[in-house]
Amino acid sequence: MQVAFLLNGKAVHATVTDPTTTLLNWLREDRRLTGTKEGCNEGDCGACSVMVTDGDGTRTLNACILFLPQLQGKAVRTIEGISGPGGQMHPVQDAMVAHHGSQCGFCTPGFVVSMAVAHLNGQTDHDTRLAGNLCRCTGYAAIVRAAKAAAAVPVPDWMRADHEALRDPQVFSVKAPAAAATRSPATAVAPAGADDLATWYEAHPNATLIAGATDVGLWVTKELRSPMLVAFLNRCADLCGIEIDRDRIRIGAMTTLTEVGAAMADLHPDFAEMIRRYGSTQVRNAATIGGNIANGSPIGDSPPALIALGASLHLRKGDARRALPLEDFFVEYRRQDRRPGEFIEAVTIPRQPDRLKCYKLSKRFDQDIAAVCGGFNVTLDEGRVAAVRIAFGGMAGVPKRADTVEAALMDRPWDERHVRSAMACLGEDFAPISDMRASADYRLAAARNMLMRYFLEDQGARTRVTEVKP
């Protein structure tokens, strides 16, 4: 498989014999660009952060779980490409020196790349941008001070060069093979669009589909699995994007969590805030809404909110399409209502007044897996519950609605007495397990309290750790 992209401003044409070769390993072993570090090797620490530019802009990604075929037609800059062509230091590099932002230095390349991307994009929410970069010795205060100091300095000209270079048709002179033109025993294909994918996947239903690779990447780096037949979906532009009209919000399966969060900020801001806690900036820039659903994890962050909003899932197999309520897609642990050769095309959300609240309980506030995640959506009519949808993750083998709790609230006055009565019903809907994240009793207690929290917030109380001050 041939892959063409820009690396630190120069065209690269790479022959990929193993399609699950990570960019990190290729950089360090093939190109000897060892400034990009291997820390956790699972997209958690940010030591491997790289800058990736394409037609949608520039973003940070984790090289440790980014496969080479995903880079076709893009531009990559490693820490070695952040400084200028004559060796000039980037403003964030200058600031890191001036503010003593490095001690052992292992994490520093990743921090500098993340800071340089934020600087290029004019993003000054430094705590969010750096939440996916971990430092164990310097501490974050000096690094954040450096980021703030660099923010006022103009963006160097060389940092905009990749946007211009990508207009050169030579960068795209080597194309990844289209799926319809490829036959077994090929190890990897790159469908040109949803039609191409549908034809190929129907004929190869046991293949692995790779969207953002934030999950499949860990199969390779942690479980040492090598999928034998894969389809990279990064060329399926018709599976990307968000369409908003008067009746619905349609989100393409390949839309990243970063894009979903931005779209939800005005429509359902609590959903957007919950997405901000999904992984890190690097992970959200790669992870897709379709992948987060298709993964089928009982602790996936987006399904409880989407179920509470009454979302529908749109599936395709060949030329056949069907839609179903999202909650019906999850059958049991790691098993979904998805037929062989069928893939997710999109998810749609009915337009509605915003009554959604999302609560994620985890040991760390940022970049952690939920012990319990709840989505609450209660509509009132003259003080009574006119409609209610409540869903939880982490409480069963699948994301699941709280049917008995909903029934206990429906058509009743929206007051503390009836809310407490509904809280007592939660054990009829869920029998959670105990594991390393939480005990079963704790999960039940937390889920009950989330319902009370929703009620209290609806009454104007402040309950959030980011709002309540001592």
Side-chain angles (χ1 to χ4, degrees), residues 76-345:
V76 177
R77 283 191 180 266
T78 65
I79 184 63
E80 291 87 353
I82 298 299
S83 56
Q88 310 96 310
M89 290 180 71
H90 188 284
V92 300
Q93 293 174 315
D94 275 330
M96 286 286 276
V97 173
H99 291 270
H100 309 286
S102 178
Q103 286 189 33
C104 83
F106 186 89
C107 70
T108 305
F111 269 98
V112 168
V113 170
S114 291
M115 293 162 71
V117 172
H119 184 260
L120 174 65
N121 292 331
Q123 296 160 329
T124 57
D125 51 339
H126 305 301
D127 287 350
T128 295
R129 298 299 147 190
L130 298 177
N133 292 84
L134 304 184
C135 178
R136 296 303 185 207
C137 58
T138 304
Y140 298 96
I143 297 171
V144 172
R145 283 196 292 270
K148 290 179 178 179
V153 183
V155 175
D157 292 340
W158 67 82
M159 293 305 291
R160 305 187 190 277
D162 288 342
H163 290 279
E164 295 298 323
L166 285 177
R167 297 176 183 175
D168 183 350
Q170 289 299 110
V171 175
F172 302 95
S173 61
V174 178
K175 297 287 188 181
T182 307
R183 298 290 182 267
S184 295
T187 59
V189 297
D195 291 344
D196 196 14
L197 171 62
T199 299
W200 184 85
Y201 194 38
E202 187 175 28
H204 303 84
N206 294 322
T208 298
L209 304 185
I210 298 180
T214 55
D215 188 29
V216 178
L218 271 67
W219 297 4
V220 175
T221 63
K222 293 300 182 181
E223 300 178 21
L224 305 182
R225 295 163 57 186
S226 295
M228 296 303 295
L229 185 61
V230 300
F232 290 96
L233 309 187
N234 45 287
R235 295 176 65 209
C236 295
D238 50 353
L239 292 177
C240 300
I242 301 173
E243 301 171 4
I244 302 174
D245 58 32
R246 188 172 66 179
D247 299 321
R248 67 170 190 168
I249 306 162
R250 186 184 189 277
I251 307 173
M254 281 290 293
T255 307
T256 67
L257 271 296
T258 293
E259 294 165 321
V260 174
M264 289 297 122
D266 292 329
L267 299 166
H268 297 291
D270 223 58
F271 190 14
E273 175 58 22
M274 191 273 292
I275 290 175
R276 190 188 70 79
R277 295 178 59 196
Y278 177 101
S280 62
T281 296
Q282 294 93 320
V283 170
R284 293 190 298 273
N285 284 341
T288 65
I289 191 73
N292 193 233
I293 294 169
N295 170 280
S297 171
I299 49 176
D301 282 342
S302 69
L306 291 170
I307 291 171
L309 289 170
S312 295
L313 199 62
H314 300 267
L315 299 157
R316 178 176 180 180
K317 179 179 180 180
D319 292 328
R321 289 178 167 91
R322 66 187 178 109
L324 72 163
L326 179 57
E327 61 261 37
D328 293 343
F329 179 67
F330 304 103
V331 178
E332 59 184 38
Y333 181 70
R334 295 294 186 181
R335 188 165 76 86
Q336 301 87 46
D337 182 7
R338 188 173 65 84
R339 299 159 188 169
E342 190 174 46
F343 62 93
I344 298 172
E345 274 197 310

Side-chain angles (χ1 to χ4, degrees), residues 438-449:
S439 68
D441 289 343
Y442 181 74
R443 282 188 161 104
L444 273 172
R448 290 189 177 107
N449 288 340

Side-chain angles (χ1 to χ4, degrees), residues 289-455:
I289 191 73
N292 193 233
I293 294 169
N295 170 280
S297 171
I299 49 176
D301 282 342
S302 69
L306 291 170
I307 291 171
L309 289 170
S312 295
L313 199 62
H314 300 267
L315 299 157
R316 178 176 180 180
K317 179 179 180 180
D319 292 328
R321 289 178 167 91
R322 66 187 178 109
L324 72 163
L326 179 57
E327 61 261 37
D328 293 343
F329 179 67
F330 304 103
V331 178
E332 59 184 38
Y333 181 70
R334 295 294 186 181
R335 188 165 76 86
Q336 301 87 46
D337 182 7
R338 188 173 65 84
R339 299 159 188 169
E342 190 174 46
F343 62 93
I344 298 172
E345 274 197 310
V347 58
T348 57
I349 303 169
R351 290 296 301 273
Q352 58 198 279
D354 180 43
R355 293 282 299 171
L356 178 72
K357 294 294 182 182
C358 304
Y359 303 128
K360 176 176 177 176
L361 178 64
S362 56
K363 292 183 178 180
R364 296 180 305 190
F365 185 80
D366 288 306
Q367 203 179 352
D368 201 2
I369 295 172
V372 180
C373 187
F376 299 81
N377 190 10
V378 178
T379 301
L380 304 179
D381 184 9
E382 296 184 352
R384 299 181 74 89
V385 176
V388 54
R389 296 181 68 91
I390 297 172
F392 287 99
M395 294 287 289
V398 295
K400 184 176 177 291
R401 284 181 73 176
D403 296 323
T404 307
V405 173
E406 291 178 3
L409 291 170
M410 189 65 188
D411 294 326
R412 288 174 171 81
W414 183 236
D415 56 30
E416 184 171 340
R417 181 171 71 87
H418 286 93
V419 169
R420 289 195 180 278
S421 178
M423 289 167 60
C425 299
L426 201 75
E428 299 177 41
D429 288 322
F430 299 98
I433 64 170
S434 296
D435 61 18
M436 62 181 292
R437 293 187 183 92
S439 68
D441 289 343
Y442 181 74
R443 282 188 161 104
L444 273 172
R448 290 189 177 107
N449 288 340
M450 285 178 180
L451 176 56
M452 178 56 69
R453 177 178 174 180
Y454 180 88
F455 171 76

